[in-house]
Structures are given as C-alpha cells and as structure tokens.
Amino acid sequence: MSSAASGWLMTSLDSSPFIVAMVQVATSLPMFLLAIPAGALSDIVDRRKFLLAGELFIMASSVVFAVLVSRHLITPTSLLLLTFIVSVGSAMTAPPWQAVVTLLVPKVDLPPAIALNSAGVNVSRAVGPALGGVVASAFGIAAPFWFDAFSNAGVIWGLLGWRPPARERGRLPPERFGSAIRAGLRHARYNPHLTATLVRAAGFFLFASAYWALLPLVARQQVDSGPALYGVLLGAIGAGAVGGAFTLPRLRVRLGADGLLALGTAGTAVATVVFGLSRNSWVTLVASVVAGAAWIASLSVLNISAQVALPEWVRGRGLAVFVTVFFGSLSLGSVVWGEVGSLAGVTAALLVAAAGGVVAIPLTWRWKLQTGESVDFSPSLHWSAPITTHEIEEDRGPVLVTVEYHIDPKNRAAFVRALWRASQERRRDGAYQWELFEDPSTDGRFIETFLTDSWLEHLRSHERVTKSDRIQEQIVWRFQVDGQPPKTTHLLAVRSEE
C-alpha cells in the first residue's frame, strides 16, 4: 500500500520521469549501501534481536512519514528522503530475514520453502497496492501510509513468539565487524557458485527495473487514469507472481534453473514492451499479470541459487552481497531508465530496456545457476589446531602458512591445476596473497604459501573448511610421491618494535 501511494504521490508532486523513477532509487539504494554491513552483523549478533530492532525502527520512521503526509508537509525532496529512511530499516533487516530461512526448513525443502516465502510476499503485493489505490481514493493519500506505519506490529509479534534453534558455540570469540566484512567479501569473490548467481542477477534486474520505475507514468500519462488503476496494476503484478509460484516446481523440473531464468527474463521483456506500447487499461493489466509471473520465476530461481551457494558461517554476508547486487541493479536501472524516459519518452525507455533484457540472456548464459546444490558445505574440521610453544595474542599477524609438496615431475601440469582449484578454497576461508613456488634445484618440490590477517583469523579458517573443500585437498595430496599429507608450517610476522 505504501509503495503504491509513494509512487502515485510523487506523480502529483512532480511528474518528471526522472523524479518519479527516483522513488524506486530511494527504495532500493539503501539495500545497495547497507546490505553488506547488515549481513556482517547478522552473522555476528543474535538474528532475532537484530530483526526486532530493525522492525521497530521501520515502524517509528513510518509513523513520521504518515504524519507529514497527513499534514500536507510532504515535498518531492522529503518524500524521497523519508522513503530512503524507511528503506534503511528494510536494508538492515533484509540479510537476516534471508538467512533465517535455513533455520526453518532442512536443505532438501529449501527450494519449495523459498517459493512459498516469495508467494507470501507477493500475496501482499497482490492485495496491498490494489487496496492502497482504493483506500487513497476513498480516504485520501495519507491513509495507506498510516496502515503501513502500524503493519509492523504483526511482524514484531511474530518475532517475539519465535524461538530459533540455538547456534552452536564455537571455541573462538565472535568475529569483529570490520574483519567480518572483509572475510565475507573475500568469500563472495572466490565462491564460483555465488559469483555466477550475481552475474545472472545483475543481467536480469538491471533491465527489469524499468517497468517498476516507470509504471506510475504508464498509468497516469499513457493510460490516463488515477491511483486506483495504478494500485490495481501493482496488484495484478502481485497476483501474477502468486499464480506463477504454483507452476514453479513443474517448470523447474522441466527447464532447469537456467532455462527458468531465461523464461522469466523473456516474459519480463514481453511485459515491458506491452507497457511501453499500451494505451488501454485492460491490455496493461494483462501485461502486469505476465510481469508478475515472470518476476517470481526469476527472483525465486536466483534466490535459491544464492542460498545453496553458501556455508552457514558466511550465510548472512553472502546473501547480503546478493541483496546488494539485486538492489544496486534496481537502483542503477531506475536512474538510467528514468533519464532515458526524460530524454526520449517513457515508451522508448521501456522498449530499450526490453531489448537489453533479451540480449542479456545469451551474454550471461555461461554462468550456471544452483551449482552449489550438490556441494557439501558442512564443516569438515579435519585441520588440527597449530602446535605452539607459548600463548599467542589473537590479533597478532599476519600469519604465513607454507605447505611443502614433493610430486612426480611428470604430474606437474595436473598438480598445478588441482592446487589452483584448492587455492580458491584458501581464499574463500580467509587467506590472501596466495602463491605457488617451484624449487629449481629439486624437481617436483613445490612450496604453497598464503597469508591470513591475524592468528585468530588463521584459527577461524580451520573451522571454515567444508567437507567439499576436504575432497579437493585430498585430490592434491594424491600427487605426493610418498602418499602422505604435505608438511605445513604456520609462521607469525615479527615487527621491528618486538
């Protein structure tokens, strides 16, 4: 209801396509800016308490928003500012909301659970905007904002009654905020399953953002109607998403994850073309239903792909990176298509966006989705703790790890390829500046080296190694001429003041 009212209110305050599109930017930009810090916090603190604090912030800022609209004190600038502030709360709670899904269902039930969760969101999208348009027409534009201000009471009540399973307490202290962000970004960079998902997400959301940003102008200028129709169009998108959710299991089996995203992208392009050309409310309504079904197909498959690509220790941060790409693409796309709409017209902007979405399908096809489903991300814990002669300060570092290999020179090429794949695991788990050195005086002798930030981070990396990582390590170890694990040393940097 609030989203529909905000978009429509802006068209009455300033009908410039660029300014109207900025409502979508104000909604999605906080997700881009804050999702990663929020993801780091969600991996460190109690997620339930974090969510409660975030929902209370959203309620308080929404009340302020409603008061200003009711007293006719809202301007285009304050509308964008308050939309941004409310979205800050949503940005902070988005990663922990994503992360708690795996606490509610086992991994085997994750795909249908995510689809069901998306269907629940889109039930509100189907009912809320349509109801928002009707309420705004009957009781004034401020009414939807008041409903939104107190709707979080139900969410807060649900969180108060929920008791999540207790987290396993590790023997190491919680991560610090800064190091948690660095570790999360490093993991995302070297996680190929997540990287593929991010590329495909950017290719979809950048162009799908066009109709979300410009739909208020389609309703007001092209179809020449009022807020009730705009609410109905948003409701039709939500209804299409709900209906599409019921077909997702069959389509996923028949088309696979990549085929389903391609279908969703093509459906979005068709709907965007119709939005650009239509001057009839019924045709626009049908396009909205198609857009909703395509949206839920694409969003669901991308969300599942991100969820199954991550181990538990970095789940909040990894999903935060996904949310950042998601809303960053929406923000950038909204700015671009709003500017194109101002220069060339709404119709031209929507047609160009539709063409771009179709071109993105073959360009991003080589990045495959949901490849993490077959990976065992459970902790292996096969690395024993380093043996030390004295107690070491946790923040001392960096730590240099060396691993010495002796292989048959005939296997050199295969060994280097296998170790390169294992190096990605080192980086995902916290290492940096990885190198492989070859001894020119002894054939088959290699030294692998990598650094971690501190002694504590080095100990954490031992706990992060997954069972899938262990399999890759064993492949490397098989090249050893004696069949034994390679010799490993752990060296601490010495500072001049010491």
Side-chain angles (χ1 to χ4, degrees), residues 158-491:
L159 285 168
L160 288 172
W162 176 51
R163 291 295 179 269
R167 288 192 187 183
E168 292 185 10
R169 290 186 174 272
R171 59 185 180 84
L172 301 177
E175 293 180 78
R176 294 178 179 176
F177 180 68
S179 62
I181 291 180
R182 289 195 299 272
L185 292 175
R186 189 179 293 132
H187 179 93
R189 178 183 176 187
Y190 293 105
N191 184 328
H193 314 291
L194 183 60
T195 299
T197 304
L198 300 180
V199 171
R200 298 293 292 274
F204 173 75
F205 293 121
L206 182 64
F207 300 102
S209 64
Y211 76 81
W212 285 109
L214 299 175
L215 193 59
L217 293 175
V218 172
R220 179 182 281 273
Q221 296 179 0
Q222 293 187 184
V223 185
D224 193 21
S225 188
L229 176 65
Y230 175 57
V232 169
L233 292 179
L234 289 178
I237 292 175
V242 173
F246 289 103
T247 66
L248 289 180
R250 291 193 298 273
L251 288 174
R252 190 180 294 111
V253 171
R254 181 172 299 181
L255 301 176
D258 297 291
L260 185 55
L261 179 59
L263 179 64
T265 305
T268 299
V270 170
T272 304
V273 169
V274 176
F275 284 138
L277 299 177
S278 176
R279 300 297 184 270
N280 180 278
S281 59
W282 288 103
V283 173
T284 310
L285 189 65
V286 172
S288 297
V289 174
V290 173
W295 177 264
I296 192 64
S298 304
L299 181 59
S300 175
V301 74
L302 288 167
N303 200 331
I304 294 169
S305 187
Q307 288 275 8
V308 301
L310 295 162
E312 190 58 36
W313 71 269
V314 75
R315 181 170 301 279
R317 283 162 281 182
L319 292 173
V321 173
F322 171 71
V323 169
T324 299
V325 171
F326 175 3
F327 285 96
S329 300
L330 286 179
S331 298
L332 176 61
S334 297
V335 172
V336 170
W337 305 123
E339 184 65 19
V340 173
S342 295
L343 296 175
V346 172
T347 297
L350 291 170
L351 294 180
V352 172
V358 172
V359 171
I361 297 174
L363 290 181
T364 60
W365 187 257
R366 71 187 184 93
W367 285 277
K368 301 301 181 183
L369 295 173
Q370 295 184 22
T371 53
E373 280 187 305
S374 59
V375 178
D376 188 349
F377 287 116
S378 56
S380 173
L381 302 178
H382 69 285
W383 283 14
S384 57
I387 298 174
T388 61
T389 59
H390 57 278
E391 186 175 349
I392 300 173
E393 296 177 4
E394 292 179 343
D395 60 352
R396 184 176 171 185
V399 178
L400 173 66
V401 181
T402 68
V403 188
E404 184 175 347
Y405 301 93
H406 294 272
I407 68 165
D408 188 329
K410 294 184 297 184
N411 297 327
R412 181 185 183 281
F415 166 76
V416 171
R417 285 194 299 269
L419 192 56
W420 174 256
R421 287 191 290 270
S423 74
Q424 306 303 296
E425 165 226 318
R426 314 283 203 215
R427 292 182 166 110
R428 285 195 299 272
D429 294 339
Y432 68 98
Q433 290 190 8
W434 181 91
E435 298 288 350
L436 179 62
F437 298 90
E438 185 174 9
D439 186 348
S441 66
T442 306
D443 288 341
R445 182 172 181 261
F446 290 83
I447 304 292
E448 175 193 12
T449 69
F450 54 90
L451 293 167
T452 55
D453 291 320
S454 66
W455 185 252
L456 182 57
E457 188 67 12
H458 176 58
L459 296 178
R460 291 192 200 284
S461 68
H462 285 222
E463 295 186 347
R464 294 169 179 169
V465 180
T466 67
K467 291 181 179 178
S468 180
D469 294 334
R470 183 178 185 179
I471 293 173
Q472 183 59 43
E473 287 184 357
Q474 289 173 338
I475 292 173
V476 174
W477 291 352
R478 292 192 190 113
F479 288 97
Q480 286 281 91
V481 290
D482 57 3
Q484 297 297 315
K487 179 183 177 181
T488 302
T489 60
H490 316 271
L491 307 173

Side-chain angles (χ1 to χ4, degrees), residues 146-169:
W146 280 111
F147 277 104
D148 182 43
F150 293 102
S151 64
N152 285 68
V155 181
I156 293 168
W157 176 82
L159 285 168
L160 288 172
W162 176 51
R163 291 295 179 269
R167 288 192 187 183
E168 292 185 10
R169 290 186 174 272

Side-chain angles (χ1 to χ4, degrees), residues 1-5 122-138 144 226-239 285:
M1 292 174 67
S2 177
S3 296
N122 284 285
V123 164
S124 67
R125 274 200 184 138
V127 177
L131 187 59
V134 173
V135 169
S137 297
L229 176 65
Y230 175 57
V232 169
L233 292 179
L234 289 178
I237 292 175
L285 189 65

